[in-house]
């Protein structure tokens, strides 16, 4: 078995972050952080994500001064965001760190639930590109959205979001119920005639036309199985997920960057304003950005590391991201606009697309 094939098998079980369901709360401390007497509570996803936090961030945290014990508060991302809101007015919250995607984290910022990051307490933050930094969160990994397709069924290879609306693929387009933003971005980009950074609702009329020709799946695993079996021929998803499917499937799958442009989803960590142990939270964020933690986590998850000094090879960076020739097609979201309108986006997605 090839190294890349083995890697793909190892990461296949990672549930897409926006579709993760809670796996219960783990109260057992991470032994790697057992040197200190304090505790850092990390609100995050379960499964392989939590497993890799233990395996790759834990050893780096153990090297921090007064390294805290780690307790994982495991739930789905919607529940974590709801918990932040529910605990907002309390003197002391239950999480020291919360992990979300950058759109959800911006919702938390707009809710007034997050501490402003003191960059002086995270020495490894200097290795994160400025365009990825934010006053209220620290990025960990990222992945661009791409068109994922069956090479035997979709010919010629897709080059545009318009290909999803092509009549010859009617009924063969797969969508994942919890992942509204990729399809809204695609439709808005077509409607606006540019790589949409905001105004996602402009794409709703096009999505309503596409909806009758789609198959809806509740999870990444179901969508991936449908692609591999030929039930579905094309979808939108993160390149990380496409990489996993390509590496582990006998079905000839491909990933294409649309000519209209795309964007990357960041998975980030922030500190609640009422976190009980903010100093431990800073230690954890610094350990999360350590070069070895970034390399091992990104390699095993199939995502791009946030830090530039991870040591990931240029070849793997391209396989997990996009070719250098497509780099200009990766745009930046107006995350404040998307987050402010995200409830409307999700409501329209659920009512008019998923449950049409």
């Amino acid at each position: 078995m090839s190294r890349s094939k083995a890697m793909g098998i190892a990461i296949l079980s990672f549930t897409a972050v926006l579709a993760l369901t809670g796996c219960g709360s783990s109260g057992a401390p991470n032994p790697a952080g057992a040197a200190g007497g304090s505790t850092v509570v990390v609100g995050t996803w379960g499964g392989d994500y939590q497993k890799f936090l233990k395996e790759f961030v834990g050893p780096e945290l153990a090297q921090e001064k007064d390294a805290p014990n780690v307790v994982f508060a495991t739930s789905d991302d919607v529940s974590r965001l709801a918990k932040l809101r529910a605990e907002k007015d309390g003197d002391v919250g239950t999480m020291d760190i919360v992990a979300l995607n950058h759109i959800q984290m911006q919702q938390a910022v707009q809710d007034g639930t997050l501490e402003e990051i003191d960059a002086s307490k995270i020495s490894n933050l200097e290795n994160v590109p400025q365009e990825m930094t934010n006053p209220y969160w620290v990025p960990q990994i990222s992945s661009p959205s791409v068109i994922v397709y069956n090479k035997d069924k979709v010919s010629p290879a897709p080059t545009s979001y318009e290909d999803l609306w092509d009549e010859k693929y009617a009924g063969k387009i797969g969508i994942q119920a919890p992942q509204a933003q990729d399809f809204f971005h695609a439709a808005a980009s077509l409607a606006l005639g540019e790589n949409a950074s905001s105004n996602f609702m402009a794409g709703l009329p096009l999505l309503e036309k596409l909806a009758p020709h789609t198959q809806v799946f509740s999870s990444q695993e179901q969508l991936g199985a449908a692609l591999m079996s030929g039930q579905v021929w094309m979808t939108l998803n993160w390149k990380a997920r496409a990489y996993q499917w390509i590496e582990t499937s006998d079905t000839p799958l491909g990933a294409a960057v649309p000519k209209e442009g795309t964007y990357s989803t960041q998975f980030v960590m922030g500190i609640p304003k009422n976190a009980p142990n903010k100093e431990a939270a800073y230690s954890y964020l610094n350990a999360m950005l350590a070069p070895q933690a970034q390399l091992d986590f990104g390699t095993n998850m199939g995502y791009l590391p946030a830090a530039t000094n991870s040591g990931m090879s240029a070849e793997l960076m391209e396989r997990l991201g996009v070719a250098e020739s497509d780099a200009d097609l990766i745009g930046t979201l107006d995350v404040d606009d998307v987050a402010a309108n995200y409830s409307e986006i999700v409501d329209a997605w659920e009512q008019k697309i998923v449950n049409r």
Side-chain angles (χ1 to χ4, degrees):
M1 182 182 292
S2 68
R3 180 179 182 275
S4 62
K5 194 80 168 181
M7 182 194 309
I9 293 172
I11 61 182
L12 183 61
S13 61
F14 173 56
T15 308
V17 176
L18 292 181
L20 278 168
T21 56
C23 300
S25 178
S26 172
N30 179 359
S38 66
T39 297
V40 60
V41 179
V42 181
T44 186
W45 303 274
D48 281 349
Y49 188 92
Q50 182 171 311
K51 174 177 178 286
F52 292 147
L53 287 179
K54 290 181 178 180
E55 291 182 1
F56 305 134
V57 178
E60 300 296 334
L61 180 64
Q63 298 180 43
E64 295 281 321
K65 182 180 179 181
D66 299 323
N69 296 307
V70 180
V71 173
F72 292 100
T74 305
S75 67
D76 63 89
D77 43 14
V78 175
S79 297
R80 280 199 305 286
L81 187 56
K83 179 183 283 190
L84 279 175
R85 289 166 172 161
E87 296 180 348
K88 175 182 176 181
D89 296 326
D91 292 334
V92 181
T94 59
M95 294 182 290
D96 298 302
I97 287 177
V98 59
L100 294 165
N101 72 58
H102 71 308
I103 296 173
Q104 293 167 314
M105 197 68 86
Q106 184 62 23
Q107 289 180 283
V109 172
Q110 293 170 351
D111 291 338
T113 62
L114 295 182
E115 180 89 353
E116 190 163 357
I117 295 295
D118 183 349
S120 69
K121 296 182 178 182
I122 310 174
S123 60
N124 287 324
L125 193 59
E126 66 181 12
N127 299 306
V128 175
Q130 186 172 0
E131 61 269 21
M132 289 186 71
T133 60
N134 183 278
Y136 292 94
W137 69 68
V138 176
Q140 182 188 20
I141 51 177
S142 68
S143 189
S145 179
V146 294
I147 302 172
V148 190
Y149 65 99
N150 184 320
K151 292 182 178 180
D152 285 344
K153 305 294 185 180
V154 180
S155 182
T159 59
S160 167
Y161 286 132
E162 290 179 339
D163 291 315
L164 285 92
W165 277 261
D166 193 317
E167 290 183 0
K168 66 183 178 181
Y169 302 127
K172 296 298 184 180
I173 305 300
I175 61 176
Q176 193 214 164
Q179 205 161 350
Q181 67 276 7
D182 286 347
F183 279 86
F184 263 95
H185 171 268
S189 294
L190 292 176
L192 298 172
E194 62 183 9
N195 188 358
S197 63
S198 60
N199 194 14
F200 276 18
M201 288 300 293
L204 181 57
L206 277 174
L207 286 180
E208 290 181 297
K209 292 181 179 179
L210 180 66
H213 307 298
T214 64
Q215 299 180 50
V216 180
F217 300 89
S218 62
S219 71
Q220 294 279 25
E221 285 71 25
Q222 291 181 1
L223 177 57
L227 268 170
M228 295 175 194
S229 69
Q231 178 183 347
V232 162
W233 295 354
M234 192 160 32
T235 189
L236 296 175
N237 219 305
W238 303 311
K239 181 64 180 292
R241 181 58 65 168
Y243 171 80
Q244 295 172 26
W245 289 336
I246 290 168
E247 291 297 309
T248 59
S249 175
D250 292 329
T251 304
L253 301 177
V257 181
K259 66 182 181 181
E260 293 83 9
T262 186
Y263 71 98
S264 287
T265 296
Q266 296 179 30
F267 300 99
V268 303
M269 295 186 183
I271 303 174
K273 278 186 176 179
N274 55 5
N277 195 344
K278 293 177 183 177
E279 291 306 311
Y282 278 110
S283 294
Y284 194 88
L285 292 175
N286 197 55
M288 179 264 288
L289 287 177
Q292 194 63 48
Q294 285 277 289
L295 176 62
D296 291 340
F297 203 101
T299 299
N300 282 273
M301 293 292 285
Y303 286 77
L304 293 168
T308 57
N309 65 337
S310 70
M312 182 176 285
S313 70
E315 185 269 339
L316 184 56
M317 291 278 285
E318 182 169 316
R319 290 172 63 198
L320 300 183
V322 301
E324 187 175 349
S325 58
D326 289 331
D328 290 343
L329 294 174
I330 308 297
T332 301
L333 289 186
D334 181 344
V335 70
D336 198 48
D337 175 88
V338 177
N341 294 286
Y342 201 63
S343 294
E344 183 183 8
I345 291 168
V346 171
D347 287 345
W349 174 255
E350 293 177 349
Q351 296 173 17
K352 299 183 178 183
I353 312 302
V354 172
N355 299 312
R356 61 186 183 277

